[in-house]
Amino acid sequence: MLAKIEQLLQEVKALSAQNPDELEALRIKYLSKKGAINALMADFRNVPAEQKKEVGIKLNELKNLAQERIAALKETFENQDNSAAELDLTRTAYPIKLGTRHPLTIVRNEIIDIFGRMGFTIADGPEVEDDWHVFSSMNFPEDHPARDMQDTFFIETHPDIILRTHTSSVQSRVMEVSQPPIRVICPGRVYRNEAISYRAHCFFHQVEGLYVDKNVSFTDLKQVLLQFAQEMFGPDTKIRLRPSYFPFTEPSAEMDISCDICGGEGCPFCKYTGWVEILGCGMVDPAVLEANGIDSKVYTGYAFGMGVERITNLKYKVKDLRMFSENDTRFLEEFESAN
């Protein structure tokens, strides 16, 4: 019997298993009721009395070793199972690269910060709007081209529900529920039914501003825009206001800044004019004030609006508008240092 025990001891010391099924087979072979160790214990009664002490010690050593060895193998497999359960095979492979803010977000936040320091607060509104807030309250005539389906995305008709074409709808909503003084900027996404190209897209981003109070003048507007231009493009930036037309402002103007590449001397970027257009502006038309419940005989105001993509193009010299929405990480990584 001692020879059998010694043989089993050597076998147990060398136990190994590749998976839980093999381990269970080993447990049955050595430790089950019909296993090899229990069979030896059943034969223990046949051992001569003078050998019982020596055989008993060896038998207990064998049983303890077998239990310890199988328990250790079982713990190994349990740890492996826990590791596998925690592993998400759908996650991004290590190492995870940190992202950056989108260039449009960088510029939008900078615009908000500049106007915030001049006392403007942020106003927001829905992207799916009704005709009144987008067009009628902004003094658009019934036959204005912007009301055509060729220019605007219509969700429903009669009544007309559309994707807003500008964030002026937010200005309307603010004037509906507020009385002057009103000083807000309205950042957000807008939509127009245009062919996608390097210079146009069916959606883009705007920041519009509105200031309504007593005795607001065009001079106030010009000074605010000059301050903005110099904060955004540099202290040597000059501005130029050219007469223009918008249904919601009168008088209206387009604003140009001196080209920050050539310093106003003329280059291919500014088409050798020395100036680059960045936004539209003007004094709020009295009809717009009246339509939104504000007495135009008491209050005046100014408004302006700019495309965030346009400002970003000028600031970072991005030539293709489509790059902002293509999610090309090679392009986006170029703005890491701008964050």
Side-chain angles (χ1 to χ4, degrees):
M1 178 172 262
L2 285 172
K4 287 183 180 179
I5 293 173
E6 189 61 37
Q7 179 184 352
L8 288 176
L9 275 170
Q10 298 305 317
E11 289 181 13
V12 169
K13 288 178 181 178
L15 283 183
S16 65
Q18 300 299 318
N19 53 60
D21 291 336
E22 288 185 12
L23 179 61
E24 178 63 13
L26 292 173
R27 187 194 67 79
I28 293 171
K29 179 180 177 180
Y30 292 101
L31 295 174
S32 67
K33 288 184 179 180
K34 296 182 180 180
I37 294 175
N38 269 350
L40 286 175
M41 288 187 169
D43 288 342
F44 182 72
R45 63 178 176 269
N46 299 323
V47 175
E50 64 274 13
Q51 295 182 355
K52 280 186 181 293
K53 181 177 180 181
E54 182 183 1
V55 172
I57 291 172
K58 281 287 186 181
L59 200 53
N60 283 332
E61 180 185 349
L62 172 62
K63 183 177 180 181
N64 292 336
L65 181 64
Q67 290 174 336
E68 291 171 4
R69 184 64 184 157
I70 288 175
L73 291 172
K74 182 179 181 181
E75 185 177 353
T76 300
F77 288 124
E78 287 176 348
N79 290 338
Q80 289 178 350
D81 290 342
N82 289 337
S83 299
E86 293 171 1
L87 180 63
D88 182 1
L89 297 178
T90 64
R91 71 180 301 282
T92 304
Y94 287 105
I96 299 174
K97 191 170 183 179
L98 294 178
T100 65
R101 287 187 178 87
H102 194 279
L104 295 180
T105 302
I106 295 170
V107 172
R108 183 198 63 190
N109 289 347
E110 190 171 353
I111 294 171
I112 290 172
D113 178 64
I114 292 170
F115 284 107
R117 285 186 272 116
M118 290 191 279
F120 288 81
T121 58
I122 298 175
D124 194 16
E127 295 181 10
V128 179
E129 267 287 10
D130 54 47
D131 175 275
W132 168 259
H133 290 99
V134 176
F135 295 132
S136 297
S137 66
M138 290 290 116
N139 202 38
F140 280 76
E142 291 290 336
D143 59 350
H144 195 280
R147 292 177 181 265
D148 294 339
M149 289 188 177
Q150 290 86 347
D151 286 337
T152 299
F153 291 105
F154 279 75
I155 306 300
E156 296 177 9
T157 56
H158 310 300
D160 291 339
I161 304 297
I162 59 180
L163 297 181
R164 66 184 182 188
T165 61
H166 49 198
T167 56
S168 301
S169 57
V170 182
Q171 298 179 21
S172 174
R173 288 184 174 274
V174 170
M175 288 188 284
E176 278 182 341
V177 297
S178 307
Q179 282 297 307
I182 297 170
R183 193 194 296 256
V184 295
I185 53 171
C186 313
R189 186 184 292 112
V190 299
Y191 306 84
R192 295 181 188 176
N193 189 6
E194 296 186 10
I196 298 173
S197 68
Y198 76 95
R199 57 180 298 173
H201 211 294
C202 60
F203 69 87
F204 56 98
H205 301 78
Q206 281 188 334
V207 175
E208 295 198 16
L210 173 70
Y211 177 39
V212 180
D213 203 350
K214 294 178 180 178
N215 303 316
V216 176
S217 68
F218 206 99
T219 303
D220 300 323
L221 170 62
K222 181 179 179 182
Q223 189 58 40
V224 163
L225 295 180
L226 176 62
Q227 181 71 21
F228 163 72
Q230 292 179 340
E231 290 269 357
M232 178 63 73
F233 298 103
D236 296 329
T237 304
K238 300 179 178 61
I239 66 171
R240 179 178 72 174
L241 296 172
R242 294 178 287 107
S244 186
Y245 166 75
F246 302 109
F248 34 82
T249 53
E250 181 59 38
S252 304
E254 301 279 1
M255 190 182 98
D256 305 328
I257 61 168
S258 54
C259 180
D260 60 343
I261 294 179
C262 65
E265 303 211 350
C267 67
F269 184 77
C270 63
K271 300 178 182 177
Y272 299 98
T273 65
W275 298 95
V276 181
E277 178 189 327
I278 68 165
L279 58 82
C281 61
M283 300 300 293
V284 180
D285 193 303
V288 172
L289 294 175
E290 294 291 344
N292 289 282
I294 295 175
D295 190 345
S296 62
K297 294 181 177 62
V298 178
Y299 297 103
T300 55
Y302 62 70
F304 56 84
M306 67 191 80
V308 179
E309 282 84 348
R310 177 66 170 165
I311 304 298
T312 309
N313 281 343
L314 295 173
K315 192 171 180 65
Y316 295 117
K317 311 302 183 289
V318 179
K319 295 181 179 179
D320 193 331
L321 201 69
R322 293 169 292 192
M323 297 178 74
F324 292 128
S325 55
E326 288 178 345
N327 295 324
D328 187 334
T329 55
R330 296 169 299 177
F331 168 70
L332 299 176
E333 285 168 358
E334 295 178 11
F335 297 88
E336 287 183 358
S337 61
N339 281 273

